Structures are given as C-alpha cells and as structure tokens.
Amino acid sequence: MLTGERELRELIGGNAWLTRALTVVRDSGLPDAWIGAGALRDLVWGERYGDGFDPTAVRDVDVVFFDPARLSREDDQRATDRLVAAWSAAPWQARNQAAVHTWYASKFGGDPIAPYRSVAEAVATWPEYATAVAVRLAAGGELEVCAPYGLADLLGGVWRHNPARVDVARSRQRLARHRPAHRWPGVTVVEPG
C-alpha cells in the first residue's frame, strides 16, 4: 500500500458523487478504465485546502482506459457517450491511452510520442505530480490506486510540474489557467523552471 493510500481511500469513500462516478466507470465495460487527474485533485484539495469539494466545479471527469484494438478519436467519443448515457450529471471525458500516440503531436505539438503500453505508463506522463494519479473500483468494490510518483503531492497540496511529457512553457500556461493557490489557499505552488 502506498503512503497515504488509506487517507485517499477515506476521502473518496466519504464522497457519494465520486463514488457514483467510479461505479459508473466500473460498470461501463470500458477495458482497464480509471478516473484520474483533476477530479481527484479537486476532491482532495477542496476538502483539505479549500472550501470543500463542489462537483459542479469539476471541469471534466477524466476517464482513461486501455484498448489497443480501438484507436480512433471516434472510439473516445463513443466511450464518453456511453458514460453520459449511464449518468449525465458528470462532465465525462474518456480517452483511450493506447491511442494517445496517434493524436498527441498534432494536438500539443512537438515530436510524435511512442505508444503507451499501459494506463500506468500514461498516468506517469500527466502534467503535475499531484494529478498523476488514477483510481478505480474493482469488481468487489475495493478501490485500486495508480500513482507512479506516489501520493505525497496530491495529499500534501503541492502543485509541481511533471517534466515527463509537458514542457515548462505549457506548465506555466496550466498554472495560469488553473490558479491553484487561488482556488485552494493552502496549496503550495512550486514554480516550473
């Protein structure tokens, strides 16, 4: 068990909205599907460093799955539509991590990237260490955690650039757009550089 995993489990287990989202994802039939990134950060930082978690403020619920047999953007939209049909209250955004290499460079610039071999490999490239975390419900209801860099930044309220895929300029753009110290006054921002 990761350091802090029990705390994360308690925060998620105590939130009916995120628990329902996790149940929808588990029951969706999407292969190797997880919820990660901003929705988890919003829950943890809202509860620990802000005014509480407000599901209506969640920009999107990032659902990542892994299906090397279906690599089109249309498949991502079909997956998103499946989640919306199951529960329309969440702002779903499903992305097949097996397909990211087919569109990443055209969307974000730079050189083409190699195909990911797993959800965990993809999560390890997400823009901040605090959001490089994903969770899912197993068939028996237990929470599984994917956190390649651990949970210290997420639980400790630290916004820190992950240089694995995102350059400093884009990291600064994300920092300006998300304004973490304003949204969650107790969060520490480590300036990218």
Side-chain angles (χ1 to χ4, degrees), residues 2 5 8-9 12 18 22 25 32-41 44 61-65 95 97 118-126 128-138 142-151 154:
L2 293 166
E5 191 171 328
L8 181 62
R9 288 173 188 270
I12 293 169
L18 192 54
L22 285 163
V25 170
D32 199 13
W34 302 72
I35 291 177
L40 295 179
R41 176 206 56 219
V44 173
V61 178
D62 292 302
V63 175
V64 293
F65 63 99
R95 295 286 180 261
Q97 299 304 285
S118 67
V119 165
E121 187 176 47
V123 169
T125 68
W126 290 356
E128 293 86 35
Y129 292 122
T131 56
V133 177
V135 296
R136 69 176 173 187
L137 285 181
E142 60 277 0
L143 188 72
E144 296 179 359
V145 177
C146 174
Y149 303 106
L151 298 169
L154 175 61

Short mmCIF file of all heavy atoms in Angstrom, two decimals, residues 2 5 8-9 12 18 22 25 32-41 44 61-65 95 97 118-126 128-138 142-151 154:
data_model
loop_
_atom_site.label_atom_id
_atom_site.label_comp_id
_atom_site.label_asym_id
_atom_site.label_seq_id
_atom_site.Cartn_x
_atom_site.Cartn_y
_atom_site.Cartn_z
N LEU A 2 0.54 2.22 -0.83
CA LEU A 2 1.28 3.46 -0.91
C LEU A 2 1.10 4.29 0.36
O LEU A 2 0.04 4.24 0.98
CB LEU A 2 0.78 4.32 -2.08
CG LEU A 2 1.01 3.81 -3.49
CD1 LEU A 2 0.15 4.60 -4.48
CD2 LEU A 2 2.48 3.97 -3.84
N GLU A 5 -2.30 6.12 1.05
CA GLU A 5 -3.40 5.49 0.32
C GLU A 5 -4.65 5.35 1.19
O GLU A 5 -5.76 5.54 0.70
CB GLU A 5 -2.95 4.13 -0.21
CG GLU A 5 -3.93 3.53 -1.19
CD GLU A 5 -3.39 2.29 -1.89
OE1 GLU A 5 -2.17 2.19 -2.12
OE2 GLU A 5 -4.23 1.42 -2.20
N LEU A 8 -6.46 8.64 1.12
CA LEU A 8 -7.13 8.85 -0.16
C LEU A 8 -8.40 8.00 -0.24
O LEU A 8 -9.45 8.49 -0.65
CB LEU A 8 -6.19 8.52 -1.32
CG LEU A 8 -6.78 8.71 -2.72
CD1 LEU A 8 -7.16 10.18 -2.96
CD2 LEU A 8 -5.78 8.24 -3.78
N ARG A 9 -8.31 6.77 0.20
CA ARG A 9 -9.48 5.90 0.21
C ARG A 9 -10.61 6.49 1.06
O ARG A 9 -11.77 6.43 0.68
CB ARG A 9 -9.12 4.51 0.74
CG ARG A 9 -8.29 3.69 -0.19
CD ARG A 9 -7.83 2.40 0.52
NE ARG A 9 -6.88 1.68 -0.27
CZ ARG A 9 -7.20 0.76 -1.16
NH1 ARG A 9 -8.46 0.44 -1.36
NH2 ARG A 9 -6.27 0.15 -1.84
N ILE A 12 -12.22 9.54 -0.78
CA ILE A 12 -13.07 9.09 -1.88
C ILE A 12 -14.31 8.36 -1.36
O ILE A 12 -15.43 8.62 -1.79
CB ILE A 12 -12.27 8.20 -2.86
CG1 ILE A 12 -11.21 9.06 -3.57
CG2 ILE A 12 -13.19 7.52 -3.86
CD1 ILE A 12 -10.19 8.26 -4.37
N LEU A 18 -18.22 11.17 -6.19
CA LEU A 18 -17.10 10.48 -6.83
C LEU A 18 -17.27 8.97 -6.76
O LEU A 18 -16.91 8.26 -7.70
CB LEU A 18 -15.76 10.91 -6.23
CG LEU A 18 -14.52 10.48 -7.00
CD1 LEU A 18 -14.58 10.90 -8.47
CD2 LEU A 18 -13.26 11.01 -6.36
N LEU A 22 -17.16 6.53 -9.98
CA LEU A 22 -16.32 5.33 -10.05
C LEU A 22 -17.15 4.09 -10.35
O LEU A 22 -16.72 3.21 -11.10
CB LEU A 22 -15.55 5.15 -8.74
CG LEU A 22 -14.38 6.10 -8.54
CD1 LEU A 22 -13.96 6.14 -7.08
CD2 LEU A 22 -13.21 5.71 -9.44
N VAL A 25 -18.04 4.11 -14.06
CA VAL A 25 -16.88 3.71 -14.87
C VAL A 25 -16.65 2.21 -14.77
O VAL A 25 -16.45 1.53 -15.78
CB VAL A 25 -15.63 4.51 -14.46
CG1 VAL A 25 -14.38 3.95 -15.12
CG2 VAL A 25 -15.81 5.99 -14.83
N ASP A 32 -9.94 -1.74 -18.70
CA ASP A 32 -8.91 -1.15 -17.85
C ASP A 32 -9.19 0.33 -17.61
O ASP A 32 -8.33 1.19 -17.81
CB ASP A 32 -7.53 -1.36 -18.48
CG ASP A 32 -6.40 -1.19 -17.48
OD1 ASP A 32 -6.66 -1.17 -16.25
OD2 ASP A 32 -5.24 -1.05 -17.92
N ALA A 33 -10.40 0.66 -17.17
CA ALA A 33 -10.84 2.05 -17.04
C ALA A 33 -10.62 2.60 -15.64
O ALA A 33 -10.90 1.92 -14.64
CB ALA A 33 -12.31 2.16 -17.42
N TRP A 34 -10.16 3.84 -15.57
CA TRP A 34 -9.82 4.54 -14.34
C TRP A 34 -10.31 5.97 -14.42
O TRP A 34 -10.42 6.53 -15.51
CB TRP A 34 -8.30 4.60 -14.15
CG TRP A 34 -7.59 3.29 -14.12
CD1 TRP A 34 -7.36 2.45 -15.19
CD2 TRP A 34 -6.98 2.68 -13.00
NE1 TRP A 34 -6.66 1.35 -14.77
CE2 TRP A 34 -6.40 1.47 -13.43
CE3 TRP A 34 -6.86 3.05 -11.65
CZ2 TRP A 34 -5.71 0.62 -12.57
CZ3 TRP A 34 -6.18 2.21 -10.80
CH2 TRP A 34 -5.61 1.00 -11.26
N ILE A 35 -10.52 6.60 -13.27
CA ILE A 35 -10.73 8.06 -13.18
C ILE A 35 -9.45 8.65 -12.61
O ILE A 35 -8.90 8.16 -11.62
CB ILE A 35 -11.92 8.41 -12.26
CG1 ILE A 35 -13.24 7.97 -12.90
CG2 ILE A 35 -11.95 9.91 -11.96
CD1 ILE A 35 -14.47 8.22 -12.04
N GLY A 36 -8.98 9.73 -13.24
CA GLY A 36 -7.75 10.33 -12.76
C GLY A 36 -7.73 11.84 -12.90
O GLY A 36 -8.69 12.47 -13.32
N ALA A 37 -6.59 12.38 -12.51
CA ALA A 37 -6.24 13.78 -12.73
C ALA A 37 -7.10 14.75 -11.92
O ALA A 37 -7.20 14.64 -10.71
CB ALA A 37 -6.24 14.10 -14.21
N GLY A 38 -7.73 15.71 -12.62
CA GLY A 38 -8.35 16.86 -11.98
C GLY A 38 -9.48 16.55 -11.01
O GLY A 38 -9.59 17.21 -9.97
N ALA A 39 -10.33 15.60 -11.31
CA ALA A 39 -11.44 15.30 -10.40
C ALA A 39 -10.93 14.83 -9.04
O ALA A 39 -11.46 15.23 -8.00
CB ALA A 39 -12.37 14.26 -11.01
N LEU A 40 -9.87 14.03 -9.04
CA LEU A 40 -9.27 13.58 -7.77
C LEU A 40 -8.63 14.74 -7.04
O LEU A 40 -8.80 14.91 -5.83
CB LEU A 40 -8.23 12.49 -8.02
CG LEU A 40 -8.72 11.18 -8.58
CD1 LEU A 40 -7.55 10.23 -8.79
CD2 LEU A 40 -9.75 10.57 -7.66
N ARG A 41 -7.88 15.54 -7.80
CA ARG A 41 -7.24 16.72 -7.19
C ARG A 41 -8.29 17.65 -6.60
O ARG A 41 -8.14 18.13 -5.48
CB ARG A 41 -6.42 17.47 -8.25
CG ARG A 41 -5.79 18.75 -7.73
CD ARG A 41 -5.54 19.77 -8.83
NE ARG A 41 -6.76 20.07 -9.55
CZ ARG A 41 -6.80 20.26 -10.87
NH1 ARG A 41 -5.70 20.17 -11.60
NH2 ARG A 41 -7.94 20.56 -11.46
N VAL A 44 -9.61 16.11 -3.26
CA VAL A 44 -8.63 16.14 -2.17
C VAL A 44 -8.32 17.57 -1.76
O VAL A 44 -8.37 17.92 -0.57
CB VAL A 44 -7.35 15.38 -2.56
CG1 VAL A 44 -6.27 15.55 -1.49
CG2 VAL A 44 -7.66 13.90 -2.78
N VAL A 61 -14.42 14.94 -15.88
CA VAL A 61 -14.02 13.71 -15.20
C VAL A 61 -13.22 12.92 -16.22
O VAL A 61 -13.77 12.36 -17.16
CB VAL A 61 -15.25 12.91 -14.69
CG1 VAL A 61 -14.78 11.61 -14.03
CG2 VAL A 61 -16.07 13.75 -13.72
N ASP A 62 -11.91 12.93 -16.02
CA ASP A 62 -11.01 12.24 -16.95
C ASP A 62 -11.08 10.75 -16.70
O ASP A 62 -10.68 10.27 -15.63
CB ASP A 62 -9.57 12.73 -16.76
CG ASP A 62 -9.40 14.17 -17.18
OD1 ASP A 62 -9.69 14.48 -18.34
OD2 ASP A 62 -8.97 14.99 -16.34
N VAL A 63 -11.59 10.04 -17.69
CA VAL A 63 -11.65 8.59 -17.63
C VAL A 63 -10.64 8.08 -18.65
O VAL A 63 -10.71 8.42 -19.83
CB VAL A 63 -13.05 8.06 -17.97
CG1 VAL A 63 -13.05 6.54 -18.03
CG2 VAL A 63 -14.06 8.57 -16.94
N VAL A 64 -9.69 7.31 -18.16
CA VAL A 64 -8.70 6.72 -19.05
C VAL A 64 -8.94 5.22 -19.10
O VAL A 64 -9.33 4.62 -18.10
CB VAL A 64 -7.26 7.05 -18.60
CG1 VAL A 64 -6.99 8.53 -18.76
CG2 VAL A 64 -6.99 6.62 -17.18
N PHE A 65 -8.78 4.68 -20.28
CA PHE A 65 -8.93 3.24 -20.45
C PHE A 65 -7.87 2.79 -21.44
O PHE A 65 -7.14 3.60 -22.02
CB PHE A 65 -10.35 2.88 -20.87
CG PHE A 65 -10.79 3.42 -22.21
CD1 PHE A 65 -10.76 2.62 -23.35
CD2 PHE A 65 -11.24 4.73 -22.34
CE1 PHE A 65 -11.16 3.12 -24.59
CE2 PHE A 65 -11.65 5.23 -23.57
CZ PHE A 65 -11.61 4.43 -24.70
N ARG A 95 -10.68 8.87 -22.65
CA ARG A 95 -9.57 8.83 -23.60
C ARG A 95 -8.88 7.47 -23.50
O ARG A 95 -8.44 7.05 -22.43
CB ARG A 95 -8.53 9.91 -23.30
CG ARG A 95 -9.03 11.32 -23.47
CD ARG A 95 -9.17 11.68 -24.94
NE ARG A 95 -9.65 13.02 -25.13
CZ ARG A 95 -10.91 13.35 -25.39
NH1 ARG A 95 -11.83 12.43 -25.50
NH2 ARG A 95 -11.26 14.61 -25.56
N GLN A 97 -5.90 5.42 -23.69
CA GLN A 97 -4.47 5.70 -23.56
C GLN A 97 -3.63 4.90 -24.56
O GLN A 97 -2.51 5.28 -24.88
CB GLN A 97 -4.00 5.44 -22.13
CG GLN A 97 -4.71 6.32 -21.11
CD GLN A 97 -4.57 7.81 -21.40
OE1 GLN A 97 -3.52 8.39 -21.18
NE2 GLN A 97 -5.64 8.43 -21.91
N SER A 118 0.52 0.82 -21.18
CA SER A 118 -0.44 0.59 -20.09
C SER A 118 -1.00 1.92 -19.62
O SER A 118 -0.44 2.98 -19.93
CB SER A 118 0.27 -0.10 -18.91
OG SER A 118 1.22 0.78 -18.33
N VAL A 119 -2.05 1.85 -18.84
CA VAL A 119 -2.59 3.06 -18.22
C VAL A 119 -1.55 3.66 -17.28
O VAL A 119 -1.35 4.87 -17.26
CB VAL A 119 -3.92 2.76 -17.48
CG1 VAL A 119 -4.30 3.89 -16.55
CG2 VAL A 119 -5.04 2.51 -18.48
N ALA A 120 -0.87 2.83 -16.52
CA ALA A 120 0.13 3.34 -15.57
C ALA A 120 1.23 4.12 -16.27
O ALA A 120 1.68 5.17 -15.78
CB ALA A 120 0.72 2.19 -14.75
N GLU A 121 1.67 3.63 -17.42
CA GLU A 121 2.70 4.35 -18.18
C GLU A 121 2.17 5.71 -18.63
O GLU A 121 2.89 6.71 -18.59
CB GLU A 121 3.15 3.52 -19.38
CG GLU A 121 4.33 4.12 -20.11
CD GLU A 121 4.82 3.22 -21.24
OE1 GLU A 121 4.00 2.73 -22.03
OE2 GLU A 121 6.05 3.04 -21.32
N ALA A 122 0.92 5.78 -19.04
CA ALA A 122 0.31 7.05 -19.45
C ALA A 122 0.18 8.00 -18.26
O ALA A 122 0.54 9.18 -18.36
CB ALA A 122 -1.05 6.80 -20.09
N VAL A 123 -0.32 7.51 -17.15
CA VAL A 123 -0.51 8.34 -15.95
C VAL A 123 0.82 8.97 -15.53
O VAL A 123 0.85 10.12 -15.09
CB VAL A 123 -1.13 7.51 -14.81
CG1 VAL A 123 -1.09 8.25 -13.47
CG2 VAL A 123 -2.56 7.12 -15.15
N ALA A 124 1.90 8.26 -15.70
CA ALA A 124 3.22 8.77 -15.31
C ALA A 124 3.65 9.99 -16.12
O ALA A 124 4.59 10.68 -15.75
CB ALA A 124 4.27 7.67 -15.43
N THR A 125 2.95 10.30 -17.22
CA THR A 125 3.32 11.46 -18.05
C THR A 125 2.41 12.66 -17.82
O THR A 125 2.58 13.69 -18.48
CB THR A 125 3.27 11.10 -19.55
OG1 THR A 125 1.91 10.87 -19.95
CG2 THR A 125 4.13 9.89 -19.86
N TRP A 126 1.43 12.56 -16.94
CA TRP A 126 0.48 13.64 -16.76
C TRP A 126 1.16 14.88 -16.19
O TRP A 126 2.20 14.79 -15.52
CB TRP A 126 -0.68 13.18 -15.91
CG TRP A 126 -1.56 12.19 -16.66
CD1 TRP A 126 -1.43 11.79 -17.95
CD2 TRP A 126 -2.67 11.48 -16.14
NE1 TRP A 126 -2.40 10.88 -18.27
CE2 TRP A 126 -3.19 10.68 -17.18
CE3 TRP A 126 -3.29 11.45 -14.89
CZ2 TRP A 126 -4.30 9.85 -17.00
CZ3 TRP A 126 -4.39 10.64 -14.73
CH2 TRP A 126 -4.89 9.85 -15.77
N GLU A 128 1.19 17.31 -13.82
CA GLU A 128 1.69 17.60 -12.47
C GLU A 128 1.73 16.30 -11.68
O GLU A 128 0.90 15.41 -11.89
CB GLU A 128 0.77 18.61 -11.73
CG GLU A 128 0.77 20.00 -12.32
CD GLU A 128 -0.22 20.16 -13.46
OE1 GLU A 128 -1.31 19.53 -13.40
OE2 GLU A 128 0.10 20.89 -14.42
N TYR A 129 2.67 16.22 -10.75
CA TYR A 129 2.76 15.01 -9.94
C TYR A 129 1.48 14.78 -9.13
O TYR A 129 1.06 13.64 -8.95
CB TYR A 129 3.97 15.07 -9.00
CG TYR A 129 5.29 15.02 -9.73
CD1 TYR A 129 6.22 16.03 -9.60
CD2 TYR A 129 5.61 13.94 -10.55
CE1 TYR A 129 7.44 15.98 -10.27
CE2 TYR A 129 6.82 13.88 -11.23
CZ TYR A 129 7.73 14.90 -11.07
OH TYR A 129 8.93 14.85 -11.73
N ALA A 130 0.84 15.85 -8.66
CA ALA A 130 -0.38 15.70 -7.87
C ALA A 130 -1.53 15.12 -8.68
O ALA A 130 -2.43 14.49 -8.12
CB ALA A 130 -0.79 17.05 -7.28
N THR A 131 -1.51 15.34 -10.00
CA THR A 131 -2.59 14.81 -10.83
C THR A 131 -2.19 13.55 -11.58
O THR A 131 -3.00 13.00 -12.34
CB THR A 131 -3.11 15.87 -11.82
OG1 THR A 131 -2.02 16.34 -12.60
CG2 THR A 131 -3.79 17.01 -11.09
N ALA A 132 -0.99 13.08 -11.36
CA ALA A 132 -0.55 11.83 -11.98
C ALA A 132 -0.99 10.66 -11.10
O ALA A 132 -0.19 9.85 -10.62
CB ALA A 132 0.97 11.83 -12.19
N VAL A 133 -2.30 10.64 -10.88
CA VAL A 133 -2.93 9.64 -10.01
C VAL A 133 -4.25 9.25 -10.65
O VAL A 133 -4.98 10.09 -11.15
CB VAL A 133 -3.19 10.21 -8.59
CG1 VAL A 133 -3.90 9.20 -7.70
CG2 VAL A 133 -1.89 10.68 -7.94
N ALA A 134 -4.55 7.96 -10.60
CA ALA A 134 -5.84 7.46 -11.09
C ALA A 134 -6.34 6.40 -10.12
O ALA A 134 -5.55 5.74 -9.44
CB ALA A 134 -5.70 6.88 -12.50
N VAL A 135 -7.67 6.27 -10.06
CA VAL A 135 -8.29 5.28 -9.18
C VAL A 135 -9.42 4.57 -9.92
O VAL A 135 -9.97 5.10 -10.88
CB VAL A 135 -8.84 5.92 -7.87
CG1 VAL A 135 -7.71 6.51 -7.03
CG2 VAL A 135 -9.89 6.98 -8.17
N ARG A 136 -9.73 3.38 -9.45
CA ARG A 136 -10.88 2.66 -10.00
C ARG A 136 -11.42 1.73 -8.92
O ARG A 136 -10.72 1.36 -7.97
CB ARG A 136 -10.51 1.86 -11.24
CG ARG A 136 -9.60 0.69 -10.98
CD ARG A 136 -9.34 -0.09 -12.24
NE ARG A 136 -8.34 -1.13 -12.03
CZ ARG A 136 -7.84 -1.87 -13.00
NH1 ARG A 136 -8.23 -1.68 -14.24
NH2 ARG A 136 -6.95 -2.80 -12.73
N LEU A 137 -12.66 1.34 -9.12
CA LEU A 137 -13.28 0.34 -8.26
C LEU A 137 -13.10 -1.02 -8.92
O LEU A 137 -13.41 -1.19 -10.10
CB LEU A 137 -14.77 0.60 -8.09
CG LEU A 137 -15.19 1.74 -7.18
CD1 LEU A 137 -16.72 1.82 -7.13
CD2 LEU A 137 -14.63 1.56 -5.78
N ALA A 138 -12.61 -1.97 -8.15
CA ALA A 138 -12.52 -3.34 -8.64
C ALA A 138 -13.92 -3.96 -8.56
O ALA A 138 -14.84 -3.40 -7.96
CB ALA A 138 -11.52 -4.13 -7.80
N GLU A 142 -13.50 -2.76 -3.95
CA GLU A 142 -12.32 -2.15 -3.33
C GLU A 142 -11.70 -1.15 -4.31
O GLU A 142 -11.74 -1.31 -5.52
CB GLU A 142 -11.29 -3.20 -2.88
CG GLU A 142 -10.73 -4.08 -3.97
CD GLU A 142 -11.60 -5.28 -4.34
OE1 GLU A 142 -12.68 -5.48 -3.76
OE2 GLU A 142 -11.18 -6.02 -5.24
N LEU A 143 -11.13 -0.10 -3.74
CA LEU A 143 -10.52 0.96 -4.54
C LEU A 143 -9.09 0.58 -4.88
O LEU A 143 -8.31 0.19 -4.00
CB LEU A 143 -10.54 2.27 -3.75
CG LEU A 143 -10.11 3.51 -4.53
CD1 LEU A 143 -11.19 3.91 -5.53
CD2 LEU A 143 -9.83 4.66 -3.57
N GLU A 144 -8.74 0.69 -6.16
CA GLU A 144 -7.38 0.47 -6.60
C GLU A 144 -6.78 1.83 -6.97
O GLU A 144 -7.48 2.69 -7.52
CB GLU A 144 -7.34 -0.45 -7.82
CG GLU A 144 -7.84 -1.84 -7.51
CD GLU A 144 -7.83 -2.76 -8.74
OE1 GLU A 144 -7.45 -2.32 -9.84
OE2 GLU A 144 -8.23 -3.92 -8.59
N VAL A 145 -5.51 2.02 -6.66
CA VAL A 145 -4.84 3.29 -6.87
C VAL A 145 -3.65 3.09 -7.79
O VAL A 145 -2.84 2.18 -7.60
CB VAL A 145 -4.36 3.89 -5.52
CG1 VAL A 145 -3.60 5.20 -5.75
CG2 VAL A 145 -5.53 4.10 -4.58
N CYS A 146 -3.53 3.96 -8.80
CA CYS A 146 -2.38 4.00 -9.70
C CYS A 146 -1.72 5.36 -9.48
O CYS A 146 -2.28 6.40 -9.85
CB CYS A 146 -2.84 3.85 -11.15
SG CYS A 146 -1.52 4.07 -12.36
N ALA A 147 -0.56 5.36 -8.86
CA ALA A 147 0.15 6.61 -8.55
C ALA A 147 1.64 6.38 -8.76
O ALA A 147 2.37 6.09 -7.80
CB ALA A 147 -0.15 7.05 -7.12
N PRO A 148 2.13 6.51 -10.00
CA PRO A 148 3.53 6.21 -10.30
C PRO A 148 4.53 7.00 -9.46
O PRO A 148 5.65 6.53 -9.24
CB PRO A 148 3.66 6.54 -11.78
CG PRO A 148 2.28 6.48 -12.33
CD PRO A 148 1.37 6.86 -11.20
N TYR A 149 4.16 8.19 -9.00
CA TYR A 149 5.07 9.03 -8.20
C TYR A 149 4.64 9.10 -6.75
O TYR A 149 5.14 9.91 -5.99
CB TYR A 149 5.14 10.44 -8.79
CG TYR A 149 5.57 10.43 -10.24
CD1 TYR A 149 4.65 10.68 -11.25
CD2 TYR A 149 6.89 10.15 -10.60
CE1 TYR A 149 5.03 10.65 -12.58
CE2 TYR A 149 7.28 10.12 -11.93
CZ TYR A 149 6.34 10.38 -12.91
OH TYR A 149 6.72 10.34 -14.23
N GLY A 150 3.69 8.27 -6.37
CA GLY A 150 3.19 8.30 -5.01
C GLY A 150 2.09 9.33 -4.84
O GLY A 150 1.62 9.94 -5.82
N LEU A 151 1.69 9.54 -3.61
CA LEU A 151 0.56 10.42 -3.30
C LEU A 151 0.96 11.66 -2.51
O LEU A 151 0.10 12.44 -2.11
CB LEU A 151 -0.50 9.63 -2.50
CG LEU A 151 -1.11 8.44 -3.23
CD1 LEU A 151 -1.93 7.59 -2.27
CD2 LEU A 151 -1.96 8.92 -4.40
N LEU A 154 -0.28 15.07 -4.06
CA LEU A 154 -1.73 15.16 -4.04
C LEU A 154 -2.23 15.40 -2.62
O LEU A 154 -2.97 16.34 -2.36
CB LEU A 154 -2.36 13.88 -4.61
CG LEU A 154 -3.89 13.80 -4.55
CD1 LEU A 154 -4.54 14.93 -5.34
CD2 LEU A 154 -4.36 12.44 -5.04
#
